[in-house]
Amino acid sequence: MIIRLIEKKDFGEWLKLRYDLWPYHTLSELEDEMKEIFEEIDIKPVFFAEDKGIIYGFIELSIRDSAPGCLTNIIGFIEGWYVKPEFRKLGKGKMLVEMGEQWAISKGCKEMASDTTERYPDSPVAHVALGYEEVSLPLHYKKDLL
C-alpha cells in the first residue's frame, strides 16, 4: 500500500471518491472545491491511499487557528476522510489519518481535530478507535499529537 500526495492527474478519481463521501453535493460543487484546494495544496494537502494501482481512499487536511476543545492556535484538521467500503476495517483508514497527523506535526501542530455528522454513523467509532476524544456536539473530535 502507498500513501501519496494527490497529483493533477488524479482529479477524476478524487472527484469520484469525494462524491461517494458527499453525494448530497453536485459534482460541479465538489469540483470547484477541488480546484480551490489544489491551488493551496501545500497548506491543504490531499493524500491518496493506493494499492496495486487502485485508489481506495483519501484524506483532505488543513491547518486551522481554532477548533472545539483545542487549546492551541495551529491545529491540524481533517477536512475529509474516506475509504471505499470494501477496504474498511483493514487499517487503511488509520494509515491515512496517521499520515495526516505526521503532516500536521511537521507544520508545528500539537493538536489534531475533526468533525462529522449523523450522516456518517461509522465515523464516531473510527475517530475514537484512533485516539480522538469527542469534545462537543455535534460530533467534534480532538487529539493531542505530542
Side-chain angles (χ1 to χ4, degrees), residues 37-52:
I37 292 167
F38 199 74
E39 286 176 9
E40 299 183 295
I41 201 73
D42 55 325
I43 59 170
K44 293 182 179 179
V46 179
F47 292 98
F48 269 175
E50 181 178 353
D51 195 8
K52 298 176 185 166

Side-chain angles (χ1 to χ4, degrees), residues 66-137:
S66 67
C70 292
L71 303 174
T72 63
N73 64 356
I74 304 173
I75 302 153
F77 199 88
I78 300 171
E79 299 288 349
W81 174 34
Y82 179 75
V83 174
K84 290 181 180 180
E86 62 270 26
F87 291 94
R88 293 180 187 163
K89 298 186 180 180
L90 300 172
K92 296 175 185 297
K94 176 182 180 181
M95 288 187 216
L96 280 166
V97 171
E98 288 173 345
M99 174 64 84
E101 292 170 354
Q102 289 304 310
W103 172 82
I105 289 167
S106 78
K107 297 297 182 185
C109 300
K110 292 182 170 62
E111 296 174 293
M112 195 81 182
S114 181
D115 61 12
T116 189
T117 70
E118 296 81 20
R119 288 182 175 159
Y120 309 101
D122 295 338
S123 188
V125 174
H127 278 84
V128 170
L130 295 176
Y132 287 75
E133 63 178 292
E134 189 171 332
V135 293
S136 71
L137 293 175

Side-chain angles (χ1 to χ4, degrees), residues 1-18 34 38 41 45-51 53-61 80-84 92-93 95-97 99-100:
M1 182 182 103
I2 299 168
I3 297 179
R4 64 175 178 81
L5 194 61
I6 191 172
E7 300 173 24
K8 186 82 170 170
K9 69 179 177 69
D10 299 317
F11 265 47
E13 191 62 35
W14 184 22
L15 180 59
K16 287 180 203 171
L17 292 171
R18 288 185 104 231
M34 290 165 53
F38 199 74
I41 201 73
V46 179
F47 292 98
F48 269 175
E50 181 178 353
D51 195 8
I54 298 169
I55 296 170
Y56 57 82
F58 73 92
I59 191 165
E60 295 178 4
L61 305 162
W81 174 34
Y82 179 75
V83 174
K84 290 181 180 180
K92 296 175 185 297
M95 288 187 216
L96 280 166
V97 171
M99 174 64 84

Side-chain angles (χ1 to χ4, degrees), residues 23-41:
Y24 47 87
H25 288 284
T26 67
L27 290 172
S28 178
E29 289 172 330
L30 294 171
E31 195 167 23
D32 287 346
E33 286 179 350
M34 290 165 53
K35 290 174 186 172
E36 290 175 19
I37 292 167
F38 199 74
E39 286 176 9
E40 299 183 295
I41 201 73

